[in-house]
Every structure is written in C-alpha cells, then in structure tokens.
Amino acid sequence: MLEPHSNIHFGAESFAKFRDATMQNEIAILCDSHTVEHCLPVLLKDFSHLNNAPVLVIPEGEANKNLDQVSKVYEELLRLNLVRNSVLLNLGGGVITDLGGFAASTFKRGIQYINIPTTLMGMVDAAIGGKTAVNVNLFRNIAGVFAQPLSVFIFPKFLETLSKVEIQSGWAEMMKHALLTSGQAWEAFQQYDTLQSPPDALIEANARFKESVVNSDFHDQNRRQILNLGHTTAHALESWNLQQNLEIPHGFAVAAGIFIEAELAMRIGTGLSSGECREIQQYISTQFPKVIIEENSVDKIISLMRNDKKNKQQITFSLLESIGMPLIGIEPDEAYIRAAILHYLHA
Ligand SMILES: NC(=O)c1ccc[n+]([C@@H]2O[C@H](COP(=O)([O-])OP(=O)(O)OC[C@H]3O[C@@H](n4cnc5c(N)ncnc54)[C@H](O)[C@@H]3O)[C@@H](O)[C@H]2O)c1
C-alpha cells in the first residue's frame, strides 16, 4: 500500500477520489497526439463529468518537449481564461507530465495540475516527484521547476494500448529501482518478462519507491540523486540522438546508461565487483535493444555530458558501490568515461 500521506492514488479503488478531485474545479485536459486518441476516450468513459472539459493537444514525442509547445499551451490556457484555482489534467507519458507540469506551474505563477500517467515510464517514474521540465535546443530538461502535482492517479489499464517497445522502456526504470534497493530485489526483478506489462502490485511498489526517495529529499540535494543512476550517460545519448533527428525511448537510453556506468564504477573502483558488473551488463544485453554509438561520436557524447545540469566541477555520476548500495556525486576522470563507453560499443 502507498504511504498514508501519499498523493498517489492507484487503480479502480481510487475512482471516487478522482471524481472528487476533478468535480470542484475548472479542468482542462492536456494530451499528445497519441493519448488523445488512445487514452482520452477511456478516461471519458469512466468519468463522463469531464466530457465538456476543454482538451489541449500537442504533437507526440520528445522533440516536442520544448518551449514552443509550452507557449502554445499558455496561449490556449489564456484563451480558455483559466484562473489560479483551475486544474490542468496531464494525460500522457513523461513528455506530457513533464511539459504539462511545467506549463501549469509557471502559468500565472502556478495553477494546480494532476498527472494521469499513461505509459509504464510515467506510472513508475516520470509522473511522480514534481520535477517538471522541457528541453532547450539539444539540452535535456534545462528549463524546469520543482512543483508537486496535486495528485497522481495511476490506472494501469491505459497500458493496454501501449506498444511493446514503450512497455520495455518503462521496465528500465524499474530495473534501476531494483539495483538501488538490494541484491534480493535485483534477483526478484530478473524473473519478470520485460515484454509484458508488470503486475499491478509491482507498478504500485515502484511508484511507492520513487515517492519515498523523493519525499526524503524533494529538492534533490542529496538522497534523491541516487535516482540519477544511468542518467548522466542516458541524457547525453538522448541529446546526441535528438541532434540527428533520431529518437530512442528514454528507457533504452537508461539501460545503456546503467550498462556503461556499471563499467565505469568497476573501473574507477567504487567497490562494484566485476561479478556484479558483468551480471548487470549481461542482463541488459539480453533484455534491452542496444543503442547504436559510432566510435567517432564518443567525444561528442562526452562533451554533451559536460553540459549536464547535475554536474559539479566535472561530469558527475551516481554510481553503485554494490547492488543495493548507491553512491552520489562521483566525478571520474574523463579517460575512464571514454573507456566505459568504448566497452559498451564493442560489447
Ligand atoms: N520528471 C521526471 O522525474 C521524469 C522521470 C523519468 C522520465 N522523465 C521524462 O519522461 C519522458 C519519457 O516518458 P515516456 O517514456 O512516457 O515517453 P512519451 O511521453 O513520449 O510516451 C511514449 C510514446 O507513447 C505514446 N503513448 C503514451 N501513452 C500511450 C498509451 N496508453 N497508448 C498508446 N500510446 C501511448 C506517446 O504518445 C509517445 O508516442 C522523457 O522526456 C523523460 O525525460 C521524467
């Protein structure tokens, strides 16, 4: 069960709460071009009181998580004359909850928003924790604010229309949670089939894990940074792909990032044993598609890492000391980073 003070509500038992939360205030719904087709009809079927709520739609995809789309959302909210006690309902994956959360929290100095994640990535990670952001040029999540949603409603039935690729992508963040938790959690995690939707209880447990880490350090000063495992590398790989008009699902970049950062941890001697490192890498190689990296792009990827907003003096990583034992604020020499990326590329 979720914590008593949790703002996360799960499954059909939370329908009454959802009605309460959305009956009193003026609501506008934000979708992308896929969720308006696949998810909005499902939502309206159960909650007909939202039939007349205005619907804002942005084009799907990471390339649209930008300030141009935020601007369009502001214009629509102005046209609708939304006021400070109105609520923006974000119905979508991480792109919609990140962008919608940012637009809501900055419109008229902040209106409330509710997240209804419709991807596995959103349910176990992106919709939770109040980090809102959009990309600026090539740089990921550069403009953003910390602003908790009023509530997050997780309805796993939305996963029925999600592609296998996007399901698999969501499993990557769950893998990260298992690696951060314990050897036992990691053992149990490996028994699941990453091409299938997880059992509801596992989705809920992962949402709870994310929430508990966030609650211990909302402004990301220390403990929350453990969630960056794999992400210094993942964000650089995604930026590199965006630069070439290629998009890879966030979770595939995270899986590649965890592989490379396991290698890095072992090489710089955080304590991660070669046995643990190889076990993680073996799992990732068999469960997730490989992100293509050309040897001549490694320097460019490292230079993108230098612009990561998590950096202190140098490129900064959250790594493992062992499975279940995360470390934060590690600044390895760049030669080790290069060697770890090259190891992935040749694996
Ligand atoms: N704020 C955070 O803490 C946090 C954490 C993790 C990830 N993120 C962000 O989340 C984003 C990735 O999220 P994502 O993987 O959900 O991507 P996404 O929002 O782009 O969704 C993936 C695709 O699935 C489609 N889709 C969504 N729900 C669907 C459904 N039920 N049926 C059919 N299609 C559906 C979308 O239209 C899109 O094409 C990245 O921008 C990442 O930076 C944020």
Side-chain angles (χ1 to χ4, degrees):
M1 285 303 294
L2 296 173
E3 294 171 16
H5 63 278
S6 172
N7 72 348
I8 300 177
H9 309 291
F10 197 88
E13 312 85 77
S14 63
F15 274 21
K17 273 207 176 81
F18 182 77
R19 275 194 203 93
D20 284 351
T22 52
M23 282 273 191
Q24 293 125 357
N25 304 85
E26 199 179 346
I27 301 279
I29 305 175
L30 179 67
C31 295
D32 71 23
S33 45
H34 289 157
T35 62
V36 70
E37 184 188 335
H38 298 293
C39 306
L40 186 62
V42 178
L43 185 79
L44 296 181
K45 192 159 168 266
D46 285 324
F47 304 107
S48 56
H49 66 284
L50 293 173
N51 270 332
N52 296 325
V55 178
L56 288 61
V57 184
I58 65 166
E60 70 80 35
E62 185 68 34
N64 294 301
K65 202 176 94 172
N66 60 33
L67 290 167
D68 286 347
Q69 294 302 330
V70 171
S71 211
K72 289 185 182 141
V73 171
Y74 290 151
E75 282 163 25
E76 275 299 291
L77 298 180
L78 275 172
R79 196 182 59 76
L80 293 166
N81 200 17
L82 251 64
V83 289
R84 288 286 285 274
N85 64 353
S86 306
V87 176
L88 186 66
L89 240 178
N90 296 321
L91 180 66
V95 166
I96 283 293
T97 53
D98 274 15
L99 183 147
F102 178 71
S105 320
T106 47
F107 180 71
K108 297 189 177 174
R109 298 212 176 87
I111 63 170
Q112 302 269 29
Y113 70 98
I114 291 175
N115 284 341
I116 310 179
T118 61
T119 60
L120 182 57
M121 170 71 60
M123 293 178 191
V124 299
D125 190 353
I128 298 162
K131 268 192 186 176
T132 74
V134 292
N135 307 324
V136 177
N137 300 328
L138 277 184
F139 299 109
R140 308 244 329 155
N141 302 328
I142 286 298
V145 292
F146 287 95
Q148 278 284 20
L150 193 58
S151 311
V152 180
F153 285 91
I154 300 177
F155 303 133
K157 72 174 172 182
F158 284 122
L159 299 181
E160 286 166 19
T161 56
L162 196 64
S163 67
K164 290 268 184 244
V165 162
E166 296 299 341
I167 294 284
Q168 223 184 348
S169 169
W171 278 98
E173 296 287 5
M174 295 165 65
M175 169 175 71
K176 179 188 78 180
H177 291 169
L179 287 169
L180 293 173
T181 302
S182 64
Q184 209 182 359
W186 169 237
E187 283 303 311
F189 175 82
Q190 293 175 74
Q191 308 310 313
Y192 292 103
D193 176 357
T194 55
L195 289 174
Q196 303 296 325
S197 289
D200 286 4
L202 191 62
I203 298 176
E204 191 172 348
N206 274 270
R208 178 182 183 172
F209 175 81
K210 167 93 191 256
E211 184 183 45
S212 70
V213 174
V214 169
N215 284 351
S216 68
D217 172 29
F218 179 59
H219 284 103
D220 209 9
Q221 298 301 303
N222 41 69
R223 183 167 154 75
R224 186 170 180 168
Q225 292 171 21
I226 66 172
L227 298 172
N228 294 336
L229 178 68
H231 281 64
T232 301
T233 306
H235 285 156
L237 294 177
E238 287 174 298
S239 294
W240 176 238
N241 276 275
L242 265 186
Q243 196 168 49
Q244 292 163 91
N245 290 324
L246 293 172
E247 262 185 43
I248 42 171
H250 180 61
F252 295 175
V254 170
I258 292 175
F259 183 114
I260 289 167
E261 293 181 17
E263 185 71 23
L264 181 61
M266 185 189 71
R267 286 182 186 237
I268 66 170
T270 59
L272 189 72
S273 69
S274 60
E276 286 178 304
C277 173
R278 297 295 171 236
E279 189 182 317
I280 294 167
Q281 293 178 333
Q282 169 77 14
Y283 178 82
I284 292 171
S285 301
T286 55
Q287 297 294 317
F288 294 98
K290 192 162 179 176
V291 175
I292 306 299
I293 306 173
E294 309 288 344
E295 193 148 350
N296 61 9
S297 50
V298 174
D299 284 340
K300 180 70 192 163
I301 290 166
I302 293 175
S303 81
L304 285 164
M305 286 177 174
R306 289 192 201 108
N307 286 301
D308 194 294
K309 64 185 177 313
K310 301 183 291 291
N311 291 345
K312 295 186 292 185
Q313 302 304 313
Q314 301 174 51
I315 303 171
T316 306
F317 292 83
S318 300
L319 299 175
L320 291 174
E321 181 180 339
S322 63
I323 292 172
M325 295 272 286
L327 298 169
I328 60 171
I330 311 294
E331 299 178 291
D333 193 279
E334 285 189 13
Y336 286 109
I337 304 173
R338 184 170 287 101
I341 299 174
L342 286 171
H343 179 81
Y344 176 74
L345 190 154
H346 295 303

